[in-house]
Amino acid sequence: MTGIAAVAAASAVVLTGCGGGGGGDAAADVDFTAEPTGTLSAWGFENADDVGTSRMDHAAEQLSDLEIDLDATAFDAQKFTTRLASGDVPDVVQMDRRYVTTYAAQDLVIPLDECFEAHDVSPRDQWYPFVVEDVTYEDAIWAVPQFYQPPAIMVNKTVLDEAGVSVEEIDTSNPDALIGAIEKMYQASGGVPTRLGFDPQTTGQSGLWILGMGGQLIDEEGAPTLDDPSNVAGIELLQQISDAQGGYAAVKSFTDSFDTFGENNQFVANQVGAQVNAQWYPNVLSPYVDQIDIEAVPFRDSDGEPFSVASGSAFVIPAGAENPAAACAWMINLTSDDAWMAAGEARGATRAADGGINTGLFTGSPAADEAVREGWVAESGNVGFDQVISTYYDVVEYGESFGSSPAGQEIQNELNNAITAALLGDKTPEEALADAQAAAMRAYENVTAG
C-alpha cells in the first residue's frame, strides 16, 4: 500500500466520525494566547541529535510549567491515522512537509495562522517564503516548518583536472557543455562504468530537475500536473546524461555500489567528477578533507539562474489534540531564532570536540541561518571545502517549493516512477508522465473526496 493510499484508507475512519471541518473547527476553539501548562505529548522525534536536543532544552527553559511526554519513535503515516481514529492523539507530531497538506485536506491537523498571530510570528518573515509554501493550503498555514538544506553540485577537482574539464563546464543550463564534460570524464571497463562524469541523483532530486528545467508538478489548487508538457524537458536532459554514461541501468547499478557514507566514498575513490548533493553531504566528507579536492557550483535552471527546491520537516497539531495552546507555544519556541542559536552553539561544541569542520545549520529561517553562520562557521583552512560551504549558503535563497498538494507524497513517488520508466526506455517521457498523472490524480481525488 502506498503512503497516500494508506492515509486515505485509515483516515476514512476518522472522517466518518468528525463529519468534516474538524481541523478548522478545532483551531477556532483554541485560545492560543493561553499559558502553556500541563502535559504535552509529542511524537516523531526519532534519534534527536545535538541540534534537536539543544532546541528542546531551550524550549523547556522557556516553558517551565510544561511537562513534555516525548515519543522518540519515527513518524509513520498509517500509524498516524490509526492513532487519531483510536483517540490516541498526540499534541505535536513531526513529519516530512510532503505529508502536511494531505492531512490538512482531510482536517486531520489544525491550521496555525492564529497560533502564529498569538505569538507575534510572521511566517513569511520568519521562514523562507518557499518553505512556508510547502505547508500552505487553501490560504492557511498548517505546520511550523524547520530545515531547508538546498541541493547544489559538488565537483571533484581531481577528476576534472585529469580529464581537462573546467568547473564552468558543469552547468545544467548548458546541456552541450555539460554532456561534453561528462563524456571526457566518464570511464568504463567492459561496458561497465568505473567513473561517472556526473551523478545527477536522478530520483533523489527529481523535483530539482523537472522544476529547474521549467516544469510544473502541482497546480494552484494542489492537483497534480505531472503530464504537463513542460515536464518533458527535465526528463530529456536526464536521458542525455544517462546515455552519455552507458545508460540509466548501468549508472544506477554503479551508484548503488558507492560507499557513500564510508572512507572509500565516491569522492575519495574518484568515482564521480560531479554529483548533485544536499547541503548535509559535506558533513559526511569533512573527515576526508585531506584526501579530496572539491568545489561546488549551483544547479542552474533553464535560464541559467541558480535554482534549488525546498524540502524538510515540520511540526503539526493534530485535530483532537488535548493541549493545542501549549503545542503552539512549544513549536514556536523550538524554531525561534534563540533556539537555533542554542543549536548553533551545541553544534559548534560538537565540532570542537571531534575536530570536524562546521558546515553550518540550514534551518528554514534566513535570520537564523545567517546568525549561525556568523557565530560558528569559520574558515577550515581548506580553500576548496570552504568554497563548498559558501556555495550552499549562496544558493539557499534561490529555492522554490516542490508544491503543496493533498497528494504530495504520491506525486513525488509517481514522478520518480515516471522518470525511471522513461530512462530505462520502457516508456516515452510523455507516456510515463501520463501514467504517473493518472495514478497521482487517483490519489488526489481519494484524499479530497470527503
Side-chain angles (χ1 to χ4, degrees):
M1 183 178 288
T2 64
I4 295 295
V7 169
S11 62
V13 179
V14 181
L15 291 176
T16 300
C18 74
D25 293 345
D29 294 337
V30 176
D31 177 9
F32 286 113
T33 65
E35 286 296 317
T37 60
T39 299
L40 180 143
S41 62
W43 173 44
F45 291 75
E46 183 186 33
N47 296 328
D49 60 6
D50 52 351
V51 172
T53 56
S54 60
R55 292 160 56 213
M56 286 189 281
D57 289 345
H58 170 80
E61 291 174 3
Q62 307 306 307
L63 306 171
S64 57
D65 293 333
L66 189 62
E67 180 180 348
I68 308 299
D69 179 10
L70 189 69
D71 182 342
T73 58
F75 171 78
D76 177 88
Q78 190 165 4
K79 183 179 178 182
F80 176 70
T81 48
T82 300
R83 287 186 65 167
L84 267 60
S86 67
D88 178 19
V89 184
D91 296 304
V92 174
V93 180
Q94 179 176 236
M95 62 179 65
D96 188 280
R97 293 201 288 267
R98 292 282 189 275
Y99 287 108
V100 171
T101 308
T102 301
Y103 301 127
Q106 300 172 90
D107 288 333
L108 298 183
V109 296
I110 66 175
L112 301 180
D113 299 84
E114 293 182 13
C115 162
F116 295 128
E117 183 177 351
H119 290 270
D120 296 321
V121 172
S122 173
R124 287 176 174 80
D125 293 326
Q126 179 69 24
W127 297 286
Y128 296 100
F130 39 84
V131 169
V132 178
E133 288 169 15
D134 277 354
V135 294
T136 300
Y137 180 63
E138 293 189 341
D139 299 322
I141 300 172
W142 298 82
V144 173
Q146 61 169 354
F147 298 116
Y148 162 44
Q149 295 172 309
I153 302 171
M154 297 181 63
V155 298
N156 185 340
K157 289 293 297 302
T158 301
V159 172
L160 265 67
D161 291 347
E162 180 182 309
V165 172
S166 69
V167 173
E168 290 72 24
E169 292 174 82
I170 310 303
D171 183 349
T172 48
S173 69
N174 186 346
D176 290 341
L178 179 62
I179 299 303
I182 289 170
E183 291 173 341
K184 291 177 185 177
M185 292 185 284
Y186 174 68
Q187 294 181 358
S189 176
V192 177
T194 57
R195 173 182 292 173
L196 296 181
F198 185 32
D199 176 10
Q201 300 274 18
T202 301
T203 54
Q205 295 288 349
S206 56
L208 179 72
W209 287 97
I210 303 302
L211 295 174
M213 295 302 115
Q216 180 191 26
L217 302 174
I218 297 168
D219 70 15
E220 293 182 357
E221 303 300 319
T225 57
L226 291 172
D227 58 350
D228 191 295
S230 65
N231 295 332
V232 172
I235 297 182
E236 288 180 339
L237 179 53
L238 287 169
Q239 281 181 316
Q240 288 183 272
I241 293 170
S242 293
D243 291 347
Q245 303 179 104
Y248 178 70
V251 169
K252 182 67 166 57
S253 178
F254 184 49
T255 58
D256 285 348
S257 73
F258 287 170
D259 185 23
T260 301
F261 298 96
E263 61 185 14
N264 196 40
N265 61 73
Q266 62 274 20
F267 286 89
V268 170
N270 291 320
Q271 293 172 310
V272 293
Q275 183 180 50
V276 175
N277 279 298
Q279 181 275 332
W280 55 263
Y281 194 64
N283 291 286
V284 175
L285 295 181
S286 65
Y288 315 105
V289 65
D290 293 335
Q291 303 175 51
I292 57 179
D293 184 7
I294 59 174
E295 289 185 14
V297 296
F299 183 98
R300 295 189 181 277
D301 65 18
S302 55
D303 294 324
E305 298 299 321
F307 183 83
S308 66
V309 175
S311 62
S313 57
F315 304 119
V316 300
I317 303 177
E322 293 186 1
N323 203 348
C328 168
W330 192 61
M331 297 187 302
I332 294 298
N333 275 278
L334 281 175
T335 56
S336 68
D337 290 348
D338 287 343
W340 285 115
M341 290 299 281
E345 183 176 1
R347 177 53 55 89
T350 299
R351 291 288 84 93
D354 64 19
I357 298 172
N358 194 329
T359 64
L361 299 178
F362 286 67
T363 67
S365 167
D369 282 354
E370 190 57 36
V372 170
R373 184 182 189 183
E374 290 180 0
W376 288 281
V377 180
E379 291 186 0
S380 68
N382 183 292
V383 174
F385 207 93
D386 290 341
Q387 189 272 345
V388 169
I389 296 171
S390 181
T391 297
Y392 279 103
Y393 272 106
D394 290 342
V395 302
V396 73
E397 65 181 279
Y398 294 102
E400 180 176 319
S401 173
F402 180 90
S404 174
S405 172
Q409 193 63 48
E410 194 73 2
I411 291 170
Q412 175 74 75
N413 294 341
E414 290 301 331
L415 175 61
N416 288 342
N417 291 340
I419 291 174
T420 299
L423 297 190
L424 288 173
D426 296 337
K427 302 174 184 178
T428 67
E430 291 82 1
E431 290 170 342
L433 289 168
D435 290 345
Q437 173 69 9
M441 184 57 77
R442 285 194 297 271
Y444 174 81
E445 291 171 345
N446 284 339
V447 174
T448 59

